[in-house]
Amino acid sequence: MKIKDILKETFLALSSNKIRSGLTMLGIIIGIGSVIALTAIGTGAQNSISASIESIGSNLIIVMPGAQRSFGGPSGGRGVALTLTVPDADAIASQVSGVSAVVREVSSRKQVTATGTNTNTNIVGTEPSYLTVRNVSIDEGSFISANDVSSGSKVAILGPTTRDDLFGVGAENVVGQKIRISGSEYTVIGITVSKGGSGFSNVDDVVYIPYTTAGRYLSGNRYLSEIDVSAQDSSVSSQVQADVTTLLLSRHNITDPTKADFNTLNQADIIATASSVTSTFTGLLAAVAGISLLVGGIGIMNMMLTTVTERTREIGLRKAIGAKRKDINRQFLIEAVALTFIGGIIGVLLGVGIALAISSLGILQAVVSVSSIALAFGVSAVIGIVFGYYPAQRASKLNPIDALRYE
Amino acid sequence: MIEVKNITKTYNTGGEPFEAVKGVSFSVADGEFIAIMGPSGSGKSTLMHILGALDSPTSGSYFLDNKDVSTLSDDQLADIRRDKIGFVFQSFNLLPRTTVIRNVSLPLVYDGVPDKERIIRAEEALFASGLDRIYFSHLSNQLSGGQIQRVAIARALVNNPSLILADEPTGNLDSKTGEIVLNTFQKLNKELGRTIILITHEQEIAEHADRIITIRDGVITSDSKSHKKR
Ligand SMILES: Nc1ncnc2c1ncn2[C@@H]1O[C@H](COP(=O)(O)OP(=O)(O)OP(=O)(O)O)[C@@H](O)[C@H]1O
Ligand SMILES: [Mg+2]
């Protein structure tokens, strides 16, 4: 039997039973498509979570005023309590080892106005080291200088969203313009690079001013709303966190650590918590994907096996009119391969298509992995070929009469 | 051409073994036209399947053109069926959802006959079996019983076999169409020298053959020349 004839037989066999072929392929398409799409979404979500955690800064320990959130203890609202001072921050910088930088922050939400526009935004009073500690870069102009801090100058650096809100989307020549915050006029000296709005807290919607200026004109006191401590590397960050806690407890004359009037938050802890959350999440998605692959596989198996009776008779007939065992085997193998490959390719396209659609809708940057394609394709190809080919191979061993009589 | 010696066929399905053919011996010369008669369940089809190299006997020997068929491999049997035998099944066995022309040309696919020649030969066989041209591209499940029967006959003729085995080929046909089919068999026999064995219940049809073998309960009860009605 010629190859051309085998291919033609295969094509005719598949097209003479379109419903059967279609349903078999549908099983494969759904199985493969869902595995690829789900793993792409899972990986994308994991990436976006770890990216947004990393964008906070590196090896960061955040110290905030307020009572320790412990059982039974009173819990002060974040940023409400006035317990952290500039000397506290100075003490951390000079007395705790393993610290690479300390950032003082005085933050509040305020109405900001430019000529004819206004917006309610987050005013972060800070200092030059903020840039490196919080992974912020300057797009245009410059950031707060040490001089600005010591002299308490009225300069402001805008986040790109705030710039858009006040001066129009993508507005140029904003550096040098004036804005007003709580009645005082500030000169815009820089614009930061967008970090991408992640989740509910849009880190691009912000105005940076020197913390000394913020203390004098906005909060009206000498307290800090946050101290960011950057550890030299991740291995010492727990030690730094412990030392900072001990130091502040003694400076605030508190003996019972559960009564501390401040909180510390270690970025390593956040990452650990988040990665345990995301790995649970990814595991869940993998389970869903695995189930759909299983369901798809059972679908393929079911279609292949329910047609065994009819196909066995067909095999008996073909043998009765002169087909050899290898003619039968080849035809059914090619049939199974064709079904799984056509279905597989459509399934891959569907999965990748869903991933692309989700990415382009901006819901999530879905990441299609080659291994998920290989796994999904491999599993359904094996199922399709085994259950398409094996029964045929067995039937081809029957004599024609037994095959024709098969029930 | 055919030499069967003491052939038996025992079915083991369903508890007790059942002997459908119980020691049958006879020979068929080249170019003979034989009718096999006998009541339902007497083992006619079982015997035909063995003669057609479709099933193997439980014991006994079967020589076809001096070759011992019982010792041949699966693939060698397939070659014999393809090259020498045309078989019309009692239940026809057409490929479902497949056109008439493809059903008839299928044996030629396995014989490596080129595409175009397949169609020509299939059409010739269909004309010989008396099927109207308008049905050639119908699907096999869109035909009447008689039409299906003629397609099955055409498929048996298409590979120009030297031995044609037909299991009640006129069972579903009216007497006029039955006559056409019988004439075709006679022509193949007389003009082309094909050996033909057909099973029938009707004495009328059996009389068209040269020789009538009667089977009852798996044994031959008579084997005689017919009274030649032709
Ligand atoms: N696969 C099988 N398994 C068990 N018994 C079988 C099988 N095939 C046939 N038989 C039995 O063998 C006997 C002969 O069957 P066969 O088909 O040869 O009869 P037949 O003479 O062709 O009858 P009919 O004229 O009705 O076609 C029957 O009694 C039948 O029940
Ligand atoms: Mg019968």
Side-chain angles (χ1 to χ4, degrees):
Chain A
M1 199 177 180
K2 296 182 212 119
I3 274 293
K4 192 191 93 189
D5 285 330
I6 297 176
L7 293 178
K8 207 170 151 196
E9 275 316 295
T10 305
F11 173 75
L12 287 164
L14 291 179
S15 59
S16 75
N17 205 331
K18 295 193 182 63
I19 294 179
R20 182 182 70 208
S21 311
L23 287 176
T24 309
M25 282 204 288
L26 192 65
I28 298 171
I29 292 168
I30 291 173
I32 292 184
S34 53
V35 169
I36 292 173
L38 286 173
T39 47
I41 293 168
T43 320
Q46 210 167 1
N47 288 352
S48 107
I49 290 170
S50 48
S52 63
I53 292 170
E54 272 155 27
S55 77
I56 299 171
S58 43
N59 305 322
L60 196 63
I61 294 135
I62 297 170
V63 186
M64 286 175 298
Q68 196 82 346
R69 267 162 228 169
S70 58
F71 244 174
S75 111
R78 205 189 126 183
V80 170
L82 302 174
T83 56
L84 294 178
T85 59
V86 174
D88 282 341
D90 296 343
I92 292 169
S94 60
Q95 291 172 37
V96 178
S97 61
V99 171
S100 65
V102 172
V103 180
R104 296 146 190 87
E105 281 181 44
V106 178
S107 304
S108 54
R109 273 200 94 78
K110 290 281 190 278
Q111 197 73 14
V112 181
T113 56
T115 38
T117 53
N118 70 87
T119 180
N120 189 284
T121 188
N122 201 23
I123 314 295
V124 177
T126 187
E127 58 184 314
S129 54
Y130 188 93
L131 279 188
T132 46
V133 173
R134 286 304 198 99
N135 287 345
V136 172
S137 344
I138 288 295
D139 184 25
E140 214 183 305
S142 57
F143 199 63
I144 300 160
S145 66
N147 212 9
D148 291 332
V149 174
S150 57
S151 62
S153 48
K154 291 187 184 166
V155 293
I157 292 88
L158 306 185
T161 305
T162 313
R163 185 262 327 266
D164 292 350
D165 289 347
L166 292 175
F167 297 99
V169 176
E172 288 179 18
N173 302 324
V174 172
V175 172
Q177 304 258 38
K178 307 281 187 204
I179 58 171
R180 294 184 78 85
I181 307 169
S182 290
S184 312
E185 195 176 69
Y186 291 76
T187 307
V188 177
I189 58 165
I191 310 287
T192 61
V193 171
S194 171
K195 285 183 128 189
S198 55
F200 297 104
S201 62
N202 185 350
V203 292
D204 291 338
D205 188 9
V206 67
V207 174
Y208 300 103
I209 60 174
Y211 75 90
T212 45
T213 316
R216 194 174 307 156
Y217 298 104
L218 302 183
S219 65
N221 58 44
R222 53 189 183 84
Y223 291 101
L224 297 175
S225 56
E226 182 174 323
I227 301 170
D228 294 342
V229 181
S230 178
Q232 269 155 8
D233 63 73
S234 56
S235 62
V236 296
S237 72
S238 308
Q239 189 54 49
V240 169
Q241 185 183 18
D243 293 349
V244 166
T245 307
T246 315
L247 175 71
L248 291 182
L249 285 174
S250 78
R251 285 180 57 84
H252 296 185
N253 296 318
I254 298 165
T255 45
D256 182 358
T258 62
K259 298 209 162 64
D261 56 2
F262 60 91
N263 279 302
T264 59
L265 201 63
N266 189 336
Q267 193 187 11
D269 295 342
I270 306 174
I271 290 173
T273 310
S275 68
S276 87
V277 170
T278 53
S279 69
T280 309
F281 178 63
T282 309
L284 188 74
L285 280 176
V288 173
I291 289 169
S292 52
L293 195 56
L294 186 74
V295 170
I298 290 172
I300 303 166
M301 206 157 87
N302 200 18
M303 278 324 288
M304 296 290 191
L305 290 178
T306 50
T307 57
V308 158
T309 307
E310 187 189 315
R311 299 320 294 277
T312 303
R313 291 211 188 99
E314 180 190 331
I315 289 168
L317 172 66
R318 287 178 185 274
K319 283 195 77 182
I321 59 173
K324 293 199 180 63
R325 227 179 254 183
K326 70 165 195 286
D327 296 329
I328 303 288
N329 288 346
R330 276 196 204 147
Q331 182 196 326
F332 279 77
L333 182 64
I334 293 176
E335 237 185 85
V337 169
L339 273 182
T340 47
F341 274 72
I342 297 170
I345 288 166
I346 299 175
V348 169
L349 292 179
L350 180 75
V352 173
I354 291 174
L356 288 179
I358 285 173
S359 303
S360 72
L361 287 176
I363 301 168
L364 199 73
Q365 197 59 41
V367 182
V368 175
S369 71
V370 176
S371 62
S372 75
I373 294 180
L375 176 80
F377 207 106
V379 169
S380 41
V382 166
I383 293 172
I385 291 168
V386 166
F387 288 93
Y389 177 62
Y390 174 68
Q393 201 262 343
R394 228 177 33 176
S396 76
K397 287 185 183 155
L398 296 174
N399 78 31
I401 292 300
D402 289 341
L404 281 166
R405 283 234 177 84
Y406 188 86
E407 296 292 341
Chain B
M1 163 156 231
I2 288 178
E3 176 89 54
V4 292
K5 282 191 199 131
N6 215 12
I7 274 186
T8 67
K9 179 73 186 180
T10 307
Y11 289 116
N12 282 312
T13 42
E16 298 228 333
F18 177 79
E19 205 171 28
V21 174
K22 303 168 180 164
V24 164
S25 305
F26 64 96
S27 52
V28 178
D30 261 348
E32 266 195 288
F33 187 171
I34 298 180
I36 296 179
M37 298 192 70
S40 184
S42 54
K44 304 184 297 294
S45 294
T46 305
L47 179 62
M48 278 291 245
H49 293 152
I50 294 168
L51 296 179
L54 293 163
D55 207 352
S56 43
T58 310
S59 72
S61 60
Y62 171 27
F63 286 85
L64 178 65
D65 288 335
N66 299 321
K67 226 190 238 167
D68 189 354
V69 171
S70 52
T71 62
L72 296 182
S73 74
D74 202 61
D75 282 353
Q76 285 171 314
L77 287 175
D79 280 339
I80 288 198
R81 293 192 290 264
R82 188 189 67 194
D83 299 336
K84 294 190 173 174
I85 297 171
F87 203 103
V88 183
F89 288 94
Q90 193 169 12
S91 46
F92 317 124
N93 295 319
L94 299 187
L95 272 190
R97 297 173 295 272
T98 305
T99 61
V100 164
I101 213 80
R102 247 186 65 69
N103 261 290
V104 175
S105 58
L106 198 57
L108 303 177
V109 172
Y110 293 106
D111 205 5
V113 176
D115 255 349
K116 277 196 185 123
E117 194 188 331
R118 269 185 238 161
I119 305 295
I120 295 167
R121 282 171 62 178
E123 287 183 351
E124 279 169 8
L126 282 162
F127 283 131
S129 68
L131 187 74
D132 202 295
R133 212 194 162 92
I134 57 169
Y135 299 109
F136 286 8
S137 51
H138 278 218
L139 298 181
S140 51
N141 45 328
Q142 298 167 341
L143 299 174
S144 75
Q147 288 161 347
I148 290 173
Q149 193 152 30
R150 276 169 281 171
V151 175
I153 292 167
R155 188 182 58 198
L157 305 181
V158 79
N159 57 338
N160 291 326
S162 51
L163 175 62
I164 296 166
L165 303 168
D167 198 344
E168 301 209 32
T170 56
N172 277 316
L173 302 181
D174 58 90
S175 55
K176 204 172 136 219
T177 329
E179 200 64 37
I180 297 176
V181 167
L182 274 175
N183 286 339
T184 305
F185 281 132
Q186 276 182 334
K187 244 193 342 213
L188 288 167
N189 177 244
K190 289 275 125 27
E191 291 170 18
L192 298 170
R194 300 282 144 80
T195 309
I196 295 172
I197 303 177
L198 64 81
I199 293 175
T200 180
H201 278 110
E202 294 169 59
Q203 188 68 32
E204 173 89 1
I205 286 164
E207 296 296 343
H208 284 79
D210 306 321
R211 179 177 156 198
I212 301 173
I213 295 176
T214 313
I215 296 185
R216 196 173 288 270
D217 294 333
V219 291
I220 295 181
T221 53
S222 82
D223 183 347
S224 59
K225 287 237 167 296
S226 78
H227 311 84
K228 274 290 156 113
K229 279 183 64 171
R230 355 188 177 166

